């Protein structure tokens, strides 16, 4: 496989469920990202991991819990979500930027989450 | 407050004509700008970028223009093809944000009619 792979592609969960989104990159990158795309809103950065350490956390509610066990894998653990959390969750990777991002992000196809 | 704005939610053009997608930004610390294209059920893919030291960057049918004084950039697609139909996102980065942060616009849906 090549690129950035996300599973599952679609997820429906109740507000009391616990589920996880998985992302895997095969590009040799060492920075990984979670973005949220809600309807009619810009892509919102949620978390950034560089060299498996979290370097950015954009005031995301604690019901979203990221995990980066190694530079190729990134998880987003979901717990007691709200209906307004329904969105497309996109994973991305890049080479670890030493300064502002000047290179491209490589995105996965996204996980469409519906919270009932 | 949105720092990157794409004020046109949609644009429709005829095949063979020029498509012009616009983007405005408010943060004067942004110094690098990117365009991404997104097809339905796929993640965004990088299209073209421009540094603030330039005012134009061209790659095949795609050209990005940057007007720093107006805080405005545009993506020109010439000639437009039906396969160009997608959502186009403008994004910006720079010392005004954190190192890892790209700030995205809401996107413009381009439809190229055969």
């Amino acid at each position: 496989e090549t690129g950035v792979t996300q599973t599952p592609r679609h997820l429906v969960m109740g507000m009391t469920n616990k589920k996880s989104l998985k992302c895997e990159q095969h590009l040799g990158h060492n920075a990984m990202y979670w973005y949220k795309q809600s309807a009619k809103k810009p892509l919102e950065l949620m978390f950034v991991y560089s060299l498996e350490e979290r370097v950015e956390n954009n005031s995301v509610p604690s019901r979203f819990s990221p995990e980066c066990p190694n530079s190729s894998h990134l998880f987003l653990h979901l717990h007691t979500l709200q209906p307004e959390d329904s969105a497309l969750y996109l994973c991305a990777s890049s080479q670890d930027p030493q300064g502002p991002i000047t290179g491209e992000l490589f995105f996965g196809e996204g996980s469409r989450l519906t919270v009932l | 407050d949105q720092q990157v704005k794409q004020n046109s939610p949609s644009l429709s053009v005829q095949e063979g004509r020029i498509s012009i997608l616009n983007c405005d930004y408010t943060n004067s610390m942004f110094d690098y700008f990117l365009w991404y294209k997104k097809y339905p059920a796929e993640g965004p893919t990088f299209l073209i970028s421009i540094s603030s030291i330039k005012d134009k960057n061209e790659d095949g049918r795609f050209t990005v223009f940057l007007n720093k004084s107006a805080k405005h950039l545009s993506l020109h697609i010439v000639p437009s093809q039906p396969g160009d139909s997608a959502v186009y996102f403008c994004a910006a980065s720079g010392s005004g944000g954190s190192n890892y942060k790209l700030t995205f616009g809401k996107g413009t849906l381009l439809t190229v009619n055969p």
Side-chain angles (χ1 to χ4, degrees):
Chain A
E1 287 196 55
T2 57
V4 180
T5 306
Q6 289 186 242
T7 54
R9 295 291 309 278
H10 299 273
L11 178 63
V12 179
M13 60 187 289
M15 289 191 285
T16 58
N17 291 159
K18 288 185 182 181
K19 297 286 184 183
S20 296
L21 305 180
K22 178 183 175 182
C23 177
E24 185 172 0
Q25 60 97 0
H26 307 272
L27 300 168
H29 292 160
N30 51 19
M32 295 187 77
Y33 310 72
W34 280 116
Y35 278 84
K36 176 183 178 182
Q37 186 182 19
S38 303
K40 300 183 180 179
K41 286 188 175 181
L43 283 163
E44 302 171 58
L45 179 64
M46 299 176 72
F47 300 104
V48 182
Y49 277 81
S50 174
L51 299 171
E52 300 142 49
E53 289 194 17
R54 190 189 308 180
V55 296
E56 182 90 17
N57 176 356
N58 267 11
S59 302
V60 178
S62 59
R63 56 187 184 268
F64 295 92
S65 173
E67 178 190 0
C68 187
N70 56 60
S71 60
S72 298
H73 293 86
L74 184 66
F75 294 89
L76 187 62
H77 302 301
L78 314 171
H79 165 54
T80 59
L81 295 191
Q82 305 297 312
E84 59 265 29
D85 297 321
S86 298
L88 181 67
Y89 289 84
L90 289 159
C91 174
S93 71
S94 73
Q95 291 293 357
D96 179 34
Q98 297 302 306
I101 295 177
T102 56
E104 56 194 276
L105 293 178
F106 291 79
F107 285 90
E109 294 176 320
S111 294
R112 173 70 62 185
L113 173 67
T114 303
V115 182
L116 301 176
Chain B
D1 185 35
Q2 271 190 270
Q3 297 188 66
V4 176
K5 300 179 184 179
Q6 293 177 257
N7 292 321
S8 296
S10 63
L11 173 68
S12 183
V13 300
Q14 284 300 119
E15 181 178 5
R17 298 290 187 99
I18 184 171
S19 296
I20 300 177
L21 298 105
N22 293 303
C23 179
D24 297 293
Y25 61 96
T26 58
N27 190 335
S28 58
M29 301 298 284
F30 286 144
D31 55 15
Y32 200 78
F33 305 89
L34 306 91
W35 285 94
Y36 283 80
K37 178 168 76 171
K38 184 180 185 301
Y39 293 117
E42 294 185 14
T45 55
F46 170 76
L47 188 58
I48 193 169
S49 62
I50 188 167
S51 163
S52 61
I53 63 173
K54 296 185 175 182
D55 55 18
K56 176 182 174 181
N57 188 26
E58 190 172 349
D59 182 4
R61 297 185 297 113
F62 302 91
T63 303
V64 56
F65 295 92
L66 175 63
N67 182 334
K68 284 182 293 184
S69 61
K71 294 191 179 68
H72 177 83
L73 63 154
S74 60
L75 174 68
H76 292 211
I77 307 174
V78 180
S80 302
Q81 299 174 354
D84 297 328
S85 297
V87 177
Y88 289 78
F89 292 98
C90 173
S93 74
S95 51
S98 71
N99 286 359
Y100 297 85
K101 188 168 184 173
L102 276 181
T103 303
F104 284 86
K106 290 184 180 181
T108 297
L109 173 62
L110 172 66
T111 303
V112 180
N113 301 303

